[in-house]
Structures are given as C-alpha cells and as structure tokens.
Amino acid sequence: MDYKETLNLPKTDFPMRANLPEREPAWVQEWQEKRLYERLIEATAGRPLYVLHDGPPYANGHVHLGTALNKIIKDMVLKSKLMAGYRVPFVPGWDCHGMPIEHQVIRELGSGARALGQLEIRQRCRAYAEKFVNIQRAEFKRLGVLGDWERPYLTMSPKYEAQIVRVFRELVEGGYIYRGLRPVHWCTVCGTALAEAEVEYKDHVSPSIYVRFPFVGSAEDAAALARREEDRAVLAERVRRLFVVIWTTTPWTLPANLAVCLNPHLEYVALDVGGDLYIVAERLADAFLAELGRTAAARIPVDLKPLDGRDVFQHPFLDRAVRLVFESHVTADAGTGCVHTAPGHGYEDFAVGQKYGLPVLTPVDGAGRFTDEAGVFAGRLVFEANDDIVRLLEQKQHLLKGEQLRHSYPHCWRCKQPLIFRATEQWFFRVDHARLRERALQQINGVMWIPPWGHDRIYNMVEHRPDWCLSRQRAWGVPIPAFRCVQCGEFVFDPATIRHVEQVFAEHGSDAWYELPTARLVPQGTRCRCGGSEFEKDQNILDVWFDAGVSHVAVLEERDELKWPADLYVEAVDQHRGWFQVSLLTAVATRGAAPYRAVLTHGLILDEAAKKMSKSLGNVVSPEEIIRQHGAEVLRMLFASVDYTADVSFSKGLIAPLLESYRKIRNTCRFLLGNLYDFDPARHRVSVENLPELDRWMLHRAAEFNQRVRRAYELFQFHLVVHQMVNFCAVDLSALYLDIVKDRLYTAAAGSYPRRAAQTVLYELLDTMVRLMAPILSFTAEEVLRYVPGRSVDSVFLLDFRDDLPRDDALFARWEKLFEVRAAVTKALEEARQADRIGHSLDALVRLYATGGIGSLLGEYLNELPTVFIVSQVEWDESLPPEAASPLMPELRIAVEPARGEKCQRCWNYSESVGCSATHPGLCRRCVEVVEAFSHG
RNA sequence: GGGCGUGUAGCUCAGUUGGUUAGAGCGCGUCCCUGAUAAGGACGAGGUCACUGGUUCGACUCCAGUCACGCCCA
C-alpha cells in the first residue's frame, strides 16, 4: 500500500508563480467592472471620514517613478485607513495649465506656432493636457491605485477655473493683490516672468570683472573719510585718484547702475595701488590685491558713512552720478564688499533703491534687448553686449581685472537658458498684508508635519518668502480678471467685475476671455473711476501654482463627499516650497486656517549612486519597464519596503532581493491555502480554549504581529509593515510553527481534532495576513482571498483589519522559553548532522538535562518536545556530563544520537512501535490507527 | 553662502530616556531534506555604527566641526 495516499498533503490551485505582469490587468479590469471604488464608498457610509487630498501631478508626460511613488504611498495610506474603519473618498486631480505644456505644444507646432492666435494655442494645449490626463489615469490605475478615476478634478475644467477666479476675487476683497514694478526672474527666450519654483540653478560662464568708480566728492569730502587724523591730507590730495571698486558677473547691468552699496557693519580701507586709492572692505583687501596681482603701498582705514546717501561717485562710462548707499545684505564672502547696485536688475538692489528713493531703471526689454535708455548699447542683446561693455570699461581705464567665471546661475526650468533679473509690471500677492505671514506661521505650528522636521522647513520658508508674483505673460492659463481703462490706463479689478468673470468662466471656461468681446466680460454699466467705460483685457495669466494652490477650495469645498480642511496632504519634500505653501497662503488669507491637518512628505527617487535621475545623465528608469517585467505589485512592495522619508536610491538591483521576499509571503499564503482545502471554518473551527498550547502561542504571536503592523500603518511606516510581514512569514511561520505543525496536518486523520485545531490556526493566520497585506500587496491579497475557504466578500477591501486575536501572556512566556531551548537543540542537531550522525532531524533522539526553572519547564512539557523539536524522541538524562552544556544555554545539557526503533514509512518518525501491526508492518502505532480508520472510512 | 534633511553588515531596515560581546530578514557559504518542490529546514561567515574632536565611569545614541549626497533658497 502507498501510504502517501493516506496523508493529507497540501492541495491548492493557487499558483506558486505569481505571473504578475499578466494577471494584474485582469484585477484592474475587475475592480473597474465591479465598480469597487463606488461600492466601497457606499459600504462605508456612516463611518468617520478621512480625507486625503490629492496634489495634482502635471498633465505632461508619462508617470515616472516619482509620481508612482507618490500615488502608491497615497493608495497605501487610503487603503490602510479604509481597513482601519474609515470612509476614504479619493478624488485624484491633474494640473493642466502652465508653461511646460504650452512650451511643448509650441515646440511641436514649430514655425506654425506664430500663425496661431492665443485661442488656438490654448485649444491645442487643452487637447495635449487631456491626452496626458488619460494616459496617466490609465497608468495610475495600472499601479492598483483606487479612487474616483471617472470623476477626477482638472484645473482646466470650467468649474475649476471659475473657482480660481473666485479665490483671486476673495484675495482682492481682502486687499492682498497689488500691481507693482518689481525685478523678477525673467526668461528672455520665453518672454515671461518666472516664479521661484520655475528657476533652476546650474553652471554658467560669466565675465567676472573688477570695476572702479571715480570719487567725485570734494577734497574736503575725501579728507572726511579718514579714520586717522594723519590720513586726511593724503586723501584730500589724491581725491581725483580715489575710487570705489566693485565686482560683478553681470556687466550688462552696469548701464542700469545707480548706486554702490556698502555694508554698515564692515570696515573699509583705501588701498594705495600705484598711487591710485581703491576703497574695498578691509577683510577682502588681500584677496582683492591677489586678484589684481598687485601690492598696496598703504592701507588707509576709511569710514564712508558720513557720505551715506550722497551722489559721490561717477558712473564708469555714463554721464551719471552714482549714489553711495548702505545695506547689510552686502557680504564679505567674495568681491570687494562694495556692491554694484541696479534697482531694476536685482531684488536686493531694488529694496535698497526703494529705501534711498532711487528710480527703478530697467533699460532692457522683454526680449533681453537694451532700450534707448541704454545709449550706445540700444538694440543689443544683453548677454551679447557683455564683451563690449567690458571693452568700453577697459577703454575708460576703469577695468581693473577681467576674466571668465564658471558659477551657479539661474536658468529657465523649461528652455534651460540663463535668466536675467528685470523690473516689470506684475501682479502680486502681498504676504505681509493683514498679518498673513504671522497667521500662516501660527497655522504651521498647528499642523502635524510628518516627519516632524517638515515644520522647521516650511516655517523658515514662509518666514522669509517674498511676495508672490502671480502674473505670467503666457496664453495657457487662467487670465487675471482685470481690465485696463482705455481712457486713463488705470486697472479695474473690483469684486463685482471679477464675480462676473467667474460666472462667465463657470459657464464657458476661461477661453471666453479670448473669445468674447471685452464688453461681454465686464458687467453692464461698469465705469472706471475716471468715468471711462471702454476697457481692454489684461494680457496676463495666473501663475500655475495659483491653480493648484486653490484646490482646497475648488475640490475640498466643492465635492460633497469631501470636507475642508483635509486630514492629510502627501507630497514630495520639494512641495514645502510648492503646493504645501501656496495652498497654505491662499487658505489662511481666505479661510483663516491651513487647508490640512497633517502633511506627510516623502523623498525623491534618486539613482543607484544617490544622484538625481535625469534624461541627460541617462539614469532614468521608467515604472512601465518595471511593471512590464515584474508587475506593479513589485513596485508597490519596493516603495513600501524603503524608508521613504529620506530620498529613495533606486536601482534595478533592488528588485531581485525583493522578489525573494515577495515569494516568501506568497508561498506562505499558498502553504496555508494548501492545508485548508478541506476546512470549512463554519463547521470545523476549534474554539480557542480547546486549542493545544502551541496553537495558542501561535495565535498570541499573530495578535502581536497584527498589532505591530496596524501600528506601523497608523504611523505611515510601510517599510516596517513589509519587514514585519516578511519576518513573520519566514521566522514565525515557515521556520517554526508551520514546520512543526506539518506532522499534524499531514499524518493525523483528516477530520481529527489535532488537525482541525491546526487548520483553525492556519485559517486565522491567513485571514489576518490577507487583510494586513492588502494595502500594499493589493493584487496578491485579492488573489489569495479568492482561494480562502468560506470567504464572505468578493474583494479584500470590503474587509477590515482585525483586532480580535486571542492573547495569553503567561502561556506565551512559557513557550518563548521552550523555543529558546529549541534553538539550542537545533544547533546541537546541526553539529550531529555535520558529524554525519543524522540527516533529517527526525532521525534523532535528543537527550536533555537541566536544573532550575528551565529544568522544571522542560519536565512539564517533556511529551510536547519531540514535536516542537521535530525529532523522533526526547529523553531526560541526568547523567549528561557538564561538557554537554549548550553554548547557547549553559544551564542546558544536550546530547544527540540516532533515534530508537524503525522509521515509520508513513510519518517518518522513528518508533519502537513500528511493526506492531501485522497488516501494516512498516507503520508506527499512531499511523496504524489512522490508516485503519482511513480504510474503513 | 543660508534653511531643512540623509549617511548602521553586499541589499532593505531595527536599535526604546546614552549602559553588558550593535540586531532582523534577504543575499552569500556549508549542510540536510525531497510529502510547501522553479519549494522547505539548519548552522555559519559578514559591521572601526560616514569622518574628526568633545562631554561622560560609559556614546550608534548627546554636543561641535568635517566630508558625501539630496531638497529648497540666495
């Protein structure tokens, strides 16, 4: 007789090989067909609401690893909250306006772009954005992300655009909006002002020049500069050879120079270089001389403060007096400590200019060409004029040193060309109006930042940020709802006018701004203060960050299933400057509070060497590639397994080890399923109090595991979930409990109490695990659930995490001790195996001896020990010598020898009872009983 | 240059208020098993806790500085 037939070996159709790339799309389709998201919303009516507000990715290009990480984290948060008992509506969104799309569209149109009007460009941009919304939607769904994909929010939808205008109106009402002439980063190629977020710093080669400005004060003025009495005469005598020296890397801004700025807290000296006197900061004097390759015959300490605010210098090549000003932004890090100041071309220059009443001179137009104000350079492109300016300085003998310098310089984020700073008329959001900055800082203190350093990061940024430049000179965006009076040139942007635009946009979308005549865009009878009634539309659009920055109004307030404020925002660390901040500012200004209760940030995806991924470096890995080869599940698990609060260093090398872990979890589930093929929980479940102690130990252990994992989910520490899951499967289950309990499952009679008890535990383990893994391993959990006997729901997401697993602390402590002994025994077994005395552990008889607590515990459990050790026999032997002490447990003595009796052909245990039955000579007594019952039954 | 981070075995991570020979899983090596089998089990070898200095009886843990990498800003 083949006794194998009488065993209850595992049986399951659950495939060992996951084959994820092929199987996953079917799940995605099934979730959609079954309307899983909608069903979950219905099924969770009445539960506490948990709102994670989706930050809109830009509708341009395919989903990359960064966007995938972000959405997967959100999905894991939402699913874990769902299964923890919340209702979790998720409305995904896209950011649709803005320069990147417009730029791309224009590039694709090539020379044809010029022939098109703004409206036609906008239509193409809209089509472009729609295309990528659809692409990305499919890609996010493919990742297993659950949400209201059929009704996302789009910043280009008419309703959303109307909300953008509405918030702008509320800001106008609150007095936050103003027009101003301000230097801004300006791209001469794109012809637009850039927001801080659109500026990229990278290396650029600029001229680096030292220029002297002649002192034009009187001899008396010069003498007054002396700190020491004895220097007065020299200064007075050499007044026509006295100069202040500046250093700059932007010679083209010199035509706009109006002042030289010194630091009030620095010491200055006049260096005697070949008879000329050069004023520089004392701390930079040596470095300056080294640059010139000269030495100074004398260093005369000077104090220029008496001349503060006076026009005591002469422009090096223009007929213009240059003012001496003081401000503490001047540093002694580089240059001369005397700073060339052009209020139209630098932010700090502008600030100093305001303080001293200087005009905002900007002799440069939007295309980067000098205007007539720049004299001989008129019509020249600024960067190209650099060399001529340097040459002119040389001619005038005011150039002290000129060379090329490679340094970090602002560039346009789209066209990658170097930017200039240029004063233009722009629309601004005033951060210091109505104590907004203070109130925003207060709100920051009330938000939970995860990880906690997020607080300091955004706090410092908000504390120091400048006003927000809201206007862009582009076509693809929401127009600034303002009208210029043709008669007087003043702007009309009062609440009533804007409200009208809101209504028009809600109905027709913002294209109406370009389609409709101005008369239809202003309310009837609108008049300027000057009495004028004829208007023209403002040509600016709003910064795309403004679009995203009002999503808390346009989405949270507008969608019935959501609420304001959100419970959580989840984005990458760069958003402290971006979305977190713009959302905060618009919310505090218009709603008086932060739009989020908590903010979770994750790092960025870097390459193997922790370097940024970029197309130019050729180190970009696409999610699509990973999905195609290994499945989305692997990407989900990978992102879950790392500590995302730091940047994630991604390499394909991470995948192979991860697959091992995945297989461990999958195979453990498969083993559990395989042993439950004949188990019906409704009929066969054994009650906890009737379970053997080992089984209760297992349930206690599972309860602890369950608690730890749930806690990790609460803290959004998914990497702890993954590690605990793998460890639990590998250590507690595979290597320990399941290994031990195999004997019972396989050899006991199918319907016997010991087997049903083990199956009860297996069932609980599987039921616990399938729920705990679902937020991360969504596909696998769903697949496993299909095979779970007696399942009551058709999606794992209709189940909640458990909290009802039984614990028994005293029992648990005893068994933990027994497992320590087990470790000592397996070590001894291994030694015996190495010495060729046994092969399988069942070949062994283990002799034990111990005194004290361990001794009495082992005495109590002596009958259980063979099972626990997976050996054939365990005997108590007081004669074991001290040398037999275990290295792991000195109070325990162990000896291993071959087991007694014969190997039972059925259960493979050695026993002296083998042969006790004439019908089954190869079997032990235990197996004889089972087999006889089997053949009769 | 400033603000905020990150740096523990080949990989991914633990390491509680500073306290005995720094842990886990995977991988690796050797062995066992062939009734979870493109599976399973055992044992073992791997770390100057980025570096330097300091505080302390004692520091991966606290302080200061340096280096590398990242984000944000100048």
Side-chain angles (χ1 to χ4, degrees):
Chain A
M1 177 171 188
D2 183 2
Y3 293 117
K4 192 165 170 178
E5 295 302 312
T6 71
L7 295 171
N8 317 296
L9 294 177
K11 246 185 282 185
T12 179
D13 293 329
F14 181 80
M16 176 178 274
R17 284 178 50 90
N19 204 0
L20 294 166
E22 281 174 42
R23 243 187 284 270
E24 286 169 350
W27 286 112
V28 172
Q29 200 185 340
E30 183 173 329
W31 289 331
Q32 182 168 330
E33 282 166 3
K34 288 202 305 207
R35 299 174 55 78
L36 178 60
Y37 173 78
E38 289 78 5
R39 282 177 59 201
L40 289 171
I41 292 298
E42 286 162 26
T44 53
R47 286 188 180 192
L49 193 58
Y50 188 87
V51 172
L52 191 173
H53 179 38
D54 192 33
Y58 199 66
N60 182 15
H62 288 258
V63 167
H64 54 80
L65 284 175
T67 27
L69 170 68
N70 176 257
K71 270 302 193 284
I72 287 174
I73 290 175
K74 286 170 178 164
D75 189 51
M76 296 189 299
V77 168
L78 288 163
K79 284 172 176 166
S80 59
K81 288 291 176 191
L82 169 71
M83 298 181 78
Y86 291 90
R87 181 180 215 213
V88 293
F90 183 59
V91 179
W94 276 274
D95 208 357
C96 305
H97 294 130
M99 231 170 23
I101 287 174
E102 186 174 345
H103 210 93
Q104 189 61 32
V105 164
I106 287 171
R107 194 175 340 188
E108 283 174 11
L109 286 168
S111 54
R114 289 178 189 280
L116 298 179
Q118 279 173 312
L119 204 51
E120 287 148 314
I121 297 277
R122 285 170 57 92
Q123 279 160 359
R124 282 171 169 77
C125 288
R126 183 178 303 278
Y128 184 95
E130 258 164 24
K131 173 183 158 189
F132 279 103
V133 164
N134 288 327
I135 287 174
Q136 291 188 7
R137 171 171 28 209
E139 289 171 341
F140 285 138
K141 282 158 87 171
R142 178 64 188 79
L143 289 170
V145 178
L146 221 49
D148 198 351
W149 294 111
E150 303 319 307
R151 299 196 311 142
Y153 74 89
L154 304 182
T155 60
M156 65 179 176
S157 73
K159 267 187 80 177
Y160 196 107
E161 290 183 328
Q163 295 295 322
I164 291 171
V165 175
R166 167 188 163 192
V167 175
F168 183 80
R169 186 198 79 220
E170 291 176 6
L171 291 174
V172 167
E173 286 167 352
Y176 294 98
I177 304 296
Y178 70 96
R179 274 178 69 77
L181 191 66
R182 297 275 303 257
V184 291
H185 282 292
W186 183 272
C187 179
T188 58
V189 178
C190 303
T192 183
L194 269 71
E196 307 91 84
E198 295 169 328
V199 176
E200 289 178 356
Y201 287 83
K202 57 179 187 180
D203 274 5
H204 178 71
V205 177
S206 303
S208 163
I209 57 172
Y210 287 84
V211 181
R212 66 183 197 182
F213 283 52
F215 183 78
V216 292
S218 64
E220 249 170 66
D221 292 331
L225 300 179
R227 283 183 179 279
R228 301 181 307 208
E229 193 59 29
E230 63 266 33
D231 296 326
R232 290 179 61 92
V234 188
L235 286 164
E237 178 206 328
R238 300 231 204 126
V239 63
R240 294 285 79 89
R241 297 185 74 180
L242 181 60
F243 303 87
V244 68
V245 182
I246 63 97
W247 171 69
T248 183
T249 55
T250 52
W252 63 266
T253 60
L254 284 171
N257 174 281
L258 296 177
V260 171
C261 187
L262 272 60
N263 188 321
H265 309 298
L266 283 178
E267 303 288 334
Y268 288 84
V269 291
L271 300 172
D272 182 343
V273 178
D276 292 328
L277 295 177
Y278 293 149
I279 297 169
V280 299
E282 195 270 328
R283 287 195 0 224
L284 289 158
D286 290 330
F288 166 68
L289 289 167
E291 282 289 332
L292 258 51
R294 304 287 296 269
T295 53
R299 293 182 184 217
I300 305 167
V302 290
D303 178 11
L304 282 83
K305 287 207 207 78
L307 300 180
D308 185 3
R310 285 182 51 190
D311 297 340
V312 290
F313 299 113
Q314 165 67 36
H315 194 281
F317 56 81
L318 294 174
D319 180 18
R320 180 191 294 158
V322 171
R323 193 163 300 175
L324 170 66
V325 298
F326 283 86
E327 187 57 65
S328 49
H329 72 261
V330 173
T331 64
D333 300 334
T336 61
C338 307
V339 174
H340 148 53
T341 298
H345 293 294
Y347 185 72
E348 275 141 349
D349 303 37
F350 172 79
V352 179
Q354 292 295 99
K355 189 169 129 190
Y356 283 87
L358 294 168
V360 185
L361 175 62
T362 309
V364 177
D365 71 12
R369 289 180 192 281
F370 281 114
T371 63
D372 293 342
E373 284 179 295
V376 296
F377 298 108
R380 303 285 310 279
L381 284 168
V382 295
F383 287 116
E384 290 173 9
N386 266 341
D387 290 346
D388 288 347
I389 291 171
V390 173
R391 224 166 287 135
L392 181 60
L393 287 168
E394 213 169 354
Q395 269 171 34
K396 300 272 184 186
Q397 297 188 329
H398 291 317
L399 183 74
L400 299 184
K401 159 112 187 189
E403 60 183 0
Q404 300 290 305
L405 176 74
R406 174 174 291 274
H407 63 149
S408 176
Y409 190 84
H411 287 71
C412 176
W413 73 333
R414 286 317 298 173
C415 71
K416 310 294 178 193
Q417 296 303 306
L419 298 172
I420 64 172
F421 233 57
R422 175 173 174 269
T424 53
E425 279 243 308
Q426 300 289 344
W427 292 86
F428 286 92
F429 178 144
R430 199 186 304 277
V431 179
D432 283 310
H433 178 67
R435 293 178 49 249
L436 176 59
R437 194 186 302 272
E438 275 176 70
R439 288 186 293 145
L441 292 173
Q442 248 167 38
Q443 288 295 312
I444 287 172
N445 289 338
V447 170
M448 167 134 92
W449 300 92
I450 311 161
W453 47 257
H455 170 273
D456 294 0
R457 194 170 155 86
I458 193 167
Y459 191 98
N460 290 339
M461 288 177 180
V462 170
E463 195 173 23
H464 296 113
R465 68 154 296 149
D467 284 352
W468 179 5
C469 177
L470 292 176
S471 44
R472 290 301 117 91
Q473 293 67 52
R474 289 271 119 188
W476 181 227
V478 175
I480 289 186
F483 301 89
R484 187 195 285 271
C485 170
V486 172
Q487 189 170 312
C488 72
E490 284 302 300
F491 275 86
V492 170
F493 58 110
D494 57 276
T497 321
I498 300 174
R499 200 183 288 273
H500 186 255
V501 175
E502 243 170 278
Q503 284 158 6
V504 173
F505 283 11
E507 204 175 324
H508 305 289
S510 66
D511 279 350
W513 188 260
Y514 303 89
E515 287 167 342
L516 299 180
T518 312
R520 297 260 320 266
L521 291 168
V522 296
Q524 284 210 328
T526 301
R527 288 198 170 269
C528 176
R529 264 180 299 183
C530 76
S533 59
E534 208 182 318
F535 301 99
E536 52 191 34
K537 307 161 193 168
D538 187 274
Q539 287 301 305
N540 292 296
I541 60 166
L542 283 161
D543 176 11
V544 64
W545 280 105
F546 192 82
D547 294 19
V550 304
S551 66
H552 58 93
V553 173
V555 181
L556 294 180
E557 284 186 355
E558 292 299 302
R559 295 279 291 243
D560 291 338
E561 70 270 43
L562 304 178
K563 63 170 184 182
W564 196 104
D567 291 294
L568 190 70
Y569 276 33
V570 180
E571 305 297 331
V573 277
D574 52 355
Q575 298 305 323
H576 287 107
R577 186 70 189 183
W579 193 52
F580 300 149
Q581 197 181 133
V582 294
S583 299
L584 178 77
L585 291 175
T586 61
V588 177
T590 65
R591 301 292 182 277
Y596 35 70
R597 293 190 201 287
V599 174
L600 176 66
T601 50
H602 59 258
L604 285 94
I605 306 272
L606 307 176
D607 79 356
E608 220 162 336
K611 291 277 168 64
K612 220 193 319 205
M613 278 195 184
S614 71
K615 278 180 192 163
S616 56
L617 285 173
N619 56 358
V620 178
V621 179
S622 77
E624 192 274 332
E625 193 181 338
I626 309 295
I627 293 169
R628 183 160 34 82
Q629 284 178 18
H630 307 287
E633 194 85 311
V634 173
L635 199 59
R636 296 179 65 97
M637 187 168 167
L638 173 56
F639 286 155
S641 72
V642 296
D643 178 4
Y644 61 73
T645 59
D647 292 337
V648 179
S649 198
F650 188 97
S651 78
K652 290 185 199 164
L654 291 175
I655 291 172
L658 198 78
L659 285 173
E660 291 298 323
S661 300
Y662 173 80
R663 283 193 204 106
K664 176 53 89 175
I665 293 174
R666 187 178 177 91
N667 270 327
T668 303
C669 290
R670 183 167 183 270
F671 181 81
L672 295 174
L673 287 170
N675 284 291
L676 289 170
Y677 67 88
D678 63 340
F679 182 77
D680 176 0
R683 288 162 52 214
H684 301 134
R685 190 195 290 264
V686 175
S687 61
V688 175
E689 58 279 10
N690 289 326
L691 291 173
E693 285 207 8
L694 172 68
D695 295 7
R696 279 151 67 196
W697 166 83
M698 187 68 253
L699 289 180
H700 180 103
R701 189 86 184 131
E704 283 187 337
F705 164 67
N706 186 58
Q707 270 323 105
R708 281 200 308 273
V709 170
R710 291 195 58 171
R711 179 85 185 131
Y713 272 126
E714 272 173 38
L715 299 172
F716 309 121
Q717 295 182 336
F718 306 123
H719 63 291
L720 299 186
V721 173
V722 172
H723 283 109
Q724 279 162 15
M725 187 84 66
V726 175
N727 272 25
F728 186 68
C729 287
V731 180
D732 297 299
L733 300 189
S734 206
L736 199 56
Y737 181 75
L738 298 182
D739 208 23
I740 290 171
V741 92
K742 271 180 210 169
D743 178 77
R744 232 200 288 170
L745 289 166
Y746 296 173
T747 67
S752 64
Y753 154 75
R755 183 157 178 276
R756 291 303 188 208
Q759 285 180 309
T760 299
V761 175
L762 262 45
Y763 178 82
E764 297 291 354
L765 289 169
L766 186 62
D767 184 64
T768 302
M769 288 214 318
V770 76
R771 295 165 195 246
L772 289 177
M773 74 168 80
I776 296 168
L777 301 176
S778 299
F779 295 102
T780 306
E782 199 76 308
E783 188 183 356
V784 168
L785 186 72
R786 277 303 133 87
Y787 295 84
V788 173
R791 105 189 128 90
S792 56
V793 292
D794 66 348
S795 171
V796 68
F797 300 109
L798 289 157
L799 300 170
D800 287 337
F801 292 146
R802 301 185 52 165
D803 57 4
D804 58 344
L805 291 162
R807 289 167 174 272
D808 186 334
D809 292 329
L811 178 151
F812 184 74
R814 291 198 298 276
W815 279 79
E816 286 298 293
K817 208 72 199 165
L818 289 174
F819 288 126
E820 273 181 51
V821 173
R822 185 182 193 266
V825 169
T826 52
K827 190 173 168 65
L829 288 170
E830 182 61 23
E831 278 160 15
R833 182 150 42 228
Q834 295 296 336
D836 228 11
R837 297 189 358 252
I838 59 163
H840 194 278
S841 60
L842 281 176
D843 300 346
L845 176 159
V846 173
R847 295 181 183 281
L848 291 179
Y849 176 66
T851 53
I854 290 289
S856 53
L857 183 70
L858 290 176
E860 201 183 327
Y861 284 89
L862 206 54
N863 290 335
E864 311 271 355
L865 295 182
T867 309
V868 174
F869 298 161
I870 319 184
V871 297
S872 286
Q873 292 121 14
V874 173
E875 290 185 358
W876 196 249
D877 184 354
E878 295 184 13
S879 69
L880 286 174
E883 303 88 80
S886 164
L888 296 182
M889 212 179 218
E891 66 271 41
L892 179 70
R893 296 178 188 176
I894 310 174
V896 174
E897 59 192 64
R900 275 201 283 268
E902 299 292 314
K903 179 175 177 176
C904 170
Q905 287 168 23
R906 184 166 175 277
C907 71
W908 293 348
N909 280 270
Y910 282 75
S911 167
E912 286 170 320
S913 73
V914 171
C916 65
S917 160
T919 349
H920 302 290
L923 300 193
C924 68
R925 181 167 294 119
R926 190 179 60 146
C927 284
V928 169
E929 284 167 20
V930 178
V931 168
E932 283 181 346
F934 182 83
S935 31
H936 296 142

